[in-house]
Structures are given as C-alpha cells and as structure tokens.
Amino acid sequence: MKCSYCSRDAVYYQRYAGKHLCRKHFTAFFEKKVRATIKKYRMIETGDRVAIALSGGKDSVTLTKVLMELYGDRRDLEFVAVTIDEGIEGYREKTLKIAREVTRSVGIEHYVASFENNFSAKLDEIVKVGEKLPCSYCGVFRKYLLNKSARNLSASKLATAHNLDDESQTILMNFINADIDRLARLIPQRDQEGLVRRIKPFMELYEKEVVTYGFLKNYPMSFDECPYSYFPVRAVVRDFIYEFEQKYPGRKISILRSLEKLSNGLKITNPQIELYKCEICGEPTSQKLCQACKLVNELKVKINIRHNEDLSLTKS
Ligand code: SF4
Ligand SMILES: [Zn+2]
Ligand SMILES: [Zn+2]
C-alpha cells in the first residue's frame, strides 16, 4: 500500500483518518501531534524543569527520547528522569537497565526511588500479605514517590507516558463507576501546593502510534508485562473500547473530546478542593492521612514496613 501523501510504501494505517502513512509522513505526523498537544494544554513552557517518569517500558522510553529530540536543544528548559523501583524481581531490573541506557544516550540525569529504601519493603513482600490487588498498593506508593521525587528535584512538571488508550479507558471507567470527582480530577484546574503538575504529552496519540514510532526510531523496547498486572475492570473497559474502535474508528478520540466538552461544567460542579498536609508524612492529601500512609498503617501489622521520612533518591 502506498502512502496517502507520497509515492513511498506505507508503514502505518491510520484507520480513524483513513490514511496510509510512509515512515517519513508517520514520523512527521507523530512529532507534530506531540508538539501540538504540548502547546494546546500548555504542558511545557519557558523556564520549566520537567521530570520524566521513566519506567524503562516502551511508552516511557519513547516519551523520553521524543521529548529530548523535540525540546532537548531548548536552553530555557531542563529535563531529568525518575524511575521508581517497586521491587519486582525478574521484571524491574531489565527496565531499569534500559532506563539508564536511555538517559545516558540523551544526556540527562537519572534518579531512582525504590520502595525498599523509602518504605523498607519491596512490592514482592507487600503482595504476599496485602489483601488488595497488587496494583492498588503499587499505584499509590509509586504515585507518591514520583511526586515527592519530582518536587525534590525542583521540577515544575512531571511528564508521564499515558496515551489515548489509557486516557479513554480512565474516562469511561470513571463514568461507569459514577465517580465524577475522579473524572473532574482529570481536568487540570490550578496548581496545588506540594503537587507537581502532571503532563501527558501522548494523551492524544493511540498506543499503537507510540509503539510504531518507537519501533521506527529503533528505540530499546521492553514488552515484558509486570507479573502482577491484573486490572479486571480496566480490562473489560479496554476490550469494549477496542471492539467499538474496530467498528467505529475514532471513538477513543471522541471519548477524550467528550470530557473536554464537559470540562467547563465540571469545573463548576466539582471544583478542586484545598489539600491538607498528611498528619504523618506532610505530603498533600484530601484527607487527614494520605493514601500511602493509610496503606502503610494497614500493612505494618503484617510486615516490617515503615515510612522513611526523608526521601531516598539515588542518582544512577
Ligand atoms: S502493573 Fe501494577 S503492580 Fe505492576 S508495576 Fe504496574 S501498578 Fe505496579
Ligand atoms: Zn509519505
Ligand atoms: Zn502521609
């Protein structure tokens, strides 16, 4: 099949646009979309120091590489990468190695915050005693450490590799669960003390597009799945959206646009609340205790887990 814009062979079919794209035109489309998304949501601005959440998986590697390719020469911007080492044997070591290689190749500093050094327990130990799904613990501790690390590194933004597939699933899940507060939190309203603003430069790109770009650029890609990955509800929603998209291309984007259209109303009905400081650790929270401290309290009767007051962040 030939490219819709030139006589070269196509490498990607964009079903929602009905376009076949060659390597050159696909790459140009992808980079233009990243730039446009960053500009549209004012994700990166003069003076920003951006902390990139780099797990070492395919999406975050592509994010790091493309941000550095598009913005790395800008003297008014700084970039740094942070990896959270949850302590998952046989899985995280490999992606940590990739993360190190990638940060070296693009010439930015790389820091690692581990569950072991910050909570005195690895995820492998937590899942043995925890009653919740592994991701419920991991997600909370990881988010907590990412924010604290980014703040500690004086970052003004925290970039994550969430793509359109992730975003459309999250939006629909919140609708299905009637969790409108959580839905409203997806819309950036204003910066809150102690929270580094999150940015998602891939939020308007399909996961397939992110992977294709990484492949075409020959980036190191790990497709290993976390051994604990098990999201029963999200998996159902993901499959539903996938089938819907197959029949009616472009639906993932319409889910995102629906939220955008609702955003002005949601800002009024569900305004951002003031955050408190957690009574135990002082991190920002909407309740007396932050989620991480609540989980530590739940787990500490079963294992030796504690909350180390000072952040342990290792330069790799
Ligand atoms: S899949 Fe779950 S347990 Fe594994 S790294 Fe992601 S959040 Fe953590
Ligand atoms: Zn072309
Ligand atoms: Zn706390």
Side-chain angles (χ1 to χ4, degrees), residues 53-56 81-97 99-100 110-126 138 141-143 145-146 149 228 311-314 316:
L54 172 63
S55 69
V82 182
T83 304
I84 305 302
D85 178 3
E86 304 90 347
I88 306 172
E89 207 184 328
Y91 168 68
R92 190 49 83 210
E93 298 92 338
K94 188 174 162 193
T95 53
L96 249 171
K97 193 168 163 264
R100 274 191 203 107
H110 177 222
Y111 293 85
V112 180
S114 73
F115 281 16
E116 191 174 23
N117 288 343
N118 286 286
F119 295 104
S120 302
K122 296 180 179 184
L123 186 65
D124 285 340
E125 298 165 67
I126 294 171
C138 184
F141 290 141
R142 205 167 44 154
K143 211 167 161 189
L145 286 180
L146 270 176
S149 304
Y228 302 125
L311 174 72
S312 164
L313 196 58
T314 316
S316 84

Side-chain angles (χ1 to χ4, degrees), residues 144 278-283 285 288-294 307:
Y144 179 93
C278 170
E279 285 181 0
I280 297 178
C281 71
E283 286 299 299
T285 172
K288 282 185 174 179
L289 296 188
C290 74
Q291 284 300 107
C293 285
K294 281 188 194 163
H307 200 153

Side-chain angles (χ1 to χ4, degrees), residues 54-90:
L54 172 63
S55 69
K58 56 185 178 18
D59 297 345
S60 64
V61 164
T62 303
L63 177 69
T64 307
K65 288 275 202 178
V66 81
L67 283 182
M68 294 315 293
E69 195 146 325
L70 300 183
Y71 297 88
D73 287 344
R74 288 258 307 257
R75 289 176 163 219
D76 57 336
L77 300 173
E78 287 178 355
F79 293 88
V80 61
V82 182
T83 304
I84 305 302
D85 178 3
E86 304 90 347
I88 306 172
E89 207 184 328

Side-chain angles (χ1 to χ4, degrees), residues 284-302:
T285 172
S286 56
Q287 291 162 359
K288 282 185 174 179
L289 296 188
C290 74
Q291 284 300 107
C293 285
K294 281 188 194 163
L295 291 181
V296 168
N297 283 348
E298 174 207 312
L299 291 162
K300 73 180 176 195
V301 291
K302 298 174 183 157

Side-chain angles (χ1 to χ4, degrees), residues 86 88 91-92 115 123 127 133-140 142 225-231:
E86 304 90 347
I88 306 172
Y91 168 68
R92 190 49 83 210
F115 281 16
L123 186 65
V127 299
L133 290 173
C135 299
S136 307
Y137 297 103
C138 184
V140 168
R142 205 167 44 154
E225 274 247 2
C226 168
Y228 302 125
S229 121
Y230 177 60
F231 314 95

